[in-house]
Amino acid sequence: MKKVLITGGAGFIGSHVVRLFVEKYPEYHIYNLDALTYAGNLENLSDIENAPNYTFIKGDITEENFINELFSTHKFDSVIHLAAESHVDRSITDPLAFVKTNVIGTMILLNAFKTCWSDNFEDKLFYHISTDEVYGTLGETGLFTETTSYDPNSPYSASKASSDHFVRAYGETYGLPYVITNCSNNYGQNQFPEKLIPLFINNIINNKPLPVYGDGNYTRDWLYVKDHAIAIDLVFHKGKLGETYNIGGFNEWKNIDLVRLLCQQMDAKLNRVEGASEKLITYVKDRPGHDLRYAIDASKIKNELGWKPSVTFEEGLEKTIKWYLCNENWLHNVTSGAYKTYYQKQYN
Ligand code: NAD
Ligand code: TYD
């Protein structure tokens, strides 16, 4: 039985990847390693927690002895590495935490994987999940391709860029079999309400201000999280070793246009008069080093592996809103306690 270690599987994207692999591949055993930081939540996986091919392991990828022992006990054939500190705003207030988990944690996993297989890597894979933010910012035109130079601007993107470089370096130096994907902004169910879409859904529900940074004319390329999970499955099984694939939604939105669409859909779902939620839009101080525009050219994964997004943005957003409205308990649980302190500090 193939043993697949998924790190960060209790988080937003990780939980969708874990579920897809557990349900689709009963012949694999899926180990979900997660430290359960503020962003990790086992409620995300309650529907599959008793599956016979699934094991949850609570643990921190920065604890070297623990990780080495884990690999020597289980001898994982493959790793899908998603565990990370993932929020740009938090990286601005606490950059070192991002270096610890995203850089050192990745290094510790790479070393453990390398030692475990003593450089005999037949049929093994280290799959590193990364972000388009490593490429820095675009102007009004152009797209990130797999050969765009790295030019990260935030502590988050710098830490992810660094981890990508180490993965590639282990491939070149030690022959470690790897693949990397760099994906655009994800949205969908189970996303922690610190990121734009779930934060604003939660604020609209509670009639709280919608804090748009700067003039709102920043552009992101949005992808529905389940389509990202499908792409990860495809790259895991069919991606070429030593390659990078960009994953994106072919779906660029200026923040302010996205927020207006969200407000319209929320008004309809909450039976509020048209325009009620838009009144909550509040322009606030900009994020330092705010990247103007991200947009992915995903033609490599489309042409080579036959992947494309399965839902339009309007459909994906509607599914997402519906999920948050039907899961107010989930929202309530993650926004009590430490979340309140974070919110206060971030948005004064
Ligand atoms: P998330 O913050 O929702 O989840 C991260 C998970 O990692 C959490 O479950 C957390 O408990 C766990 N974790 C954090 N530090 C850990 C540590 N030291 N040891 C073990 N577990 C730890 O993040 P996400 O949005 O699901 O992102 C997952 C991955 O995808 C990240 O590597 C991120 O850089 C990348 N990514 C995210 C997006 C996006 O839009 N969210 C886009 C592209 C790439
Ligand atoms: P975010 O979801 O934090 O993702 P990222 O910074 O990784 O792209 O933010 C998406 C965009 O929304 C980004 O341009 C910043 C902006 N934004 C706001 O305007 N207000 C907010 O409160 C947040 C969290 C983000």
Side-chain angles (χ1 to χ4, degrees):
M1 203 179 206
K2 194 183 205 122
K3 292 181 164 190
V4 181
L5 175 71
I6 300 182
T7 69
F12 168 47
I13 302 170
S15 59
H16 290 277
V17 176
V18 166
R19 179 177 299 99
L20 189 155
F21 273 69
V22 166
E23 289 179 346
K24 190 169 170 190
Y25 301 107
E27 70 276 26
Y28 297 173
H29 197 101
I30 307 302
Y31 295 84
N32 171 13
L33 170 66
D34 199 296
L36 298 182
T37 68
Y38 77 92
N41 185 352
L42 287 178
E43 267 187 70
N44 295 347
L45 290 167
S46 53
D47 55 325
I48 55 121
E49 67 189 2
N50 295 320
N53 64 334
Y54 172 69
T55 304
F56 173 70
I57 302 163
K58 184 171 186 306
D60 190 325
I61 59 167
T62 67
E63 286 177 16
E64 192 169 7
N65 292 339
F66 163 73
I67 293 294
N68 288 340
E69 269 171 39
L70 197 66
F71 272 78
S72 84
T73 308
H74 293 290
K75 302 222 173 323
F76 304 113
D77 298 285
S78 318
V79 177
I80 306 178
H81 176 35
L82 295 111
E85 288 293 338
S86 68
H87 188 39
V88 173
D89 291 327
R90 288 185 191 251
S91 82
I92 294 167
T93 45
D94 186 9
L96 198 54
F98 284 67
V99 175
K100 283 184 185 148
T101 288
N102 300 358
V103 185
I104 314 266
T106 301
M107 286 291 297
I108 286 171
L109 286 173
L110 285 167
N111 281 336
F113 186 73
K114 177 178 174 298
T115 307
C116 172
W117 295 111
S118 310
D119 297 348
N120 179 8
F121 293 124
E122 210 183 317
D123 294 330
K124 306 294 178 287
L125 178 66
F126 191 100
Y127 180 177
H128 180 60
I129 305 294
S130 192
T131 166
D132 61 353
E133 304 192 24
V134 298
Y135 298 122
T137 188
L138 291 163
E140 294 293 338
T141 58
L143 299 170
F144 295 135
T145 71
E146 287 79 2
T147 55
T148 301
S149 302
Y150 276 34
D151 191 17
N153 291 315
S154 72
Y156 164 63
S157 54
S159 69
K160 291 298 289 187
S162 171
S163 64
D164 293 11
H165 289 320
F166 276 113
V167 173
R168 196 169 286 116
Y170 271 56
E172 291 297 319
T173 308
Y174 307 113
L176 186 135
Y178 75 91
V179 66
I180 300 175
T181 49
N182 295 83
C183 189
S184 63
N185 286 61
N186 283 217
Y187 70 96
Q189 64 202 59
N190 303 102
Q191 188 169 30
F192 191 79
E194 62 184 355
K195 308 274 167 62
L196 180 73
I197 291 179
L199 176 77
F200 280 29
I201 290 175
N202 188 34
N203 283 12
I204 291 171
I205 293 172
N206 294 298
N207 271 308
K208 280 174 65 178
L210 306 177
V212 172
Y213 294 159
D215 60 6
N217 284 318
Y218 293 89
T219 299
R220 298 291 183 262
D221 174 355
W222 293 92
L223 178 67
Y224 188 51
V225 64
K226 291 190 184 190
D227 281 329
H228 189 187
I230 291 168
I232 289 172
D233 177 19
L234 208 56
V235 172
F236 180 83
H237 289 97
K238 301 211 170 114
K240 278 200 211 127
L241 291 186
E243 294 277 324
T244 284
Y245 296 87
N246 281 353
I247 306 173
F250 303 95
N251 178 42
E252 285 184 54
W253 284 81
K254 276 198 166 47
N255 291 344
I256 191 63
D257 297 334
L258 185 162
V259 171
R260 291 204 174 105
L261 174 68
L262 181 65
C263 288
Q264 282 160 22
Q265 290 202 359
M266 289 293 289
D267 283 344
K269 283 274 178 314
L270 293 168
N271 293 321
R272 290 185 184 166
V273 288
E274 224 181 292
S277 298
E278 271 198 36
K279 292 202 178 113
L280 299 170
I281 293 175
T282 310
Y283 292 91
V284 299
K285 192 164 145 278
D286 211 347
R287 171 188 280 174
H290 198 166
D291 285 331
L292 177 70
R293 177 170 163 258
Y294 304 144
I296 283 272
D297 176 355
S299 48
K300 179 174 171 182
I301 187 170
K302 184 167 178 249
N303 298 335
E304 290 186 15
L305 304 184
W307 175 88
K308 61 177 176 20
S310 69
V311 294
T312 65
F313 187 54
E314 285 76 2
E315 287 164 349
L317 196 58
E318 198 173 341
K319 282 175 195 278
T320 305
I321 292 171
K322 208 167 152 195
W323 185 85
Y324 280 96
L325 291 177
C326 292
N327 288 275
E328 286 204 51
N329 262 350
W330 184 96
L331 252 183
H332 174 76
N333 291 346
V334 300
T335 53
S336 52
Y339 180 83
K340 290 198 174 110
T341 319
Y342 160 77
Y343 199 91
Q344 193 86 26
K345 224 170 126 193
Q346 178 66 21
Y347 297 102
N348 201 12

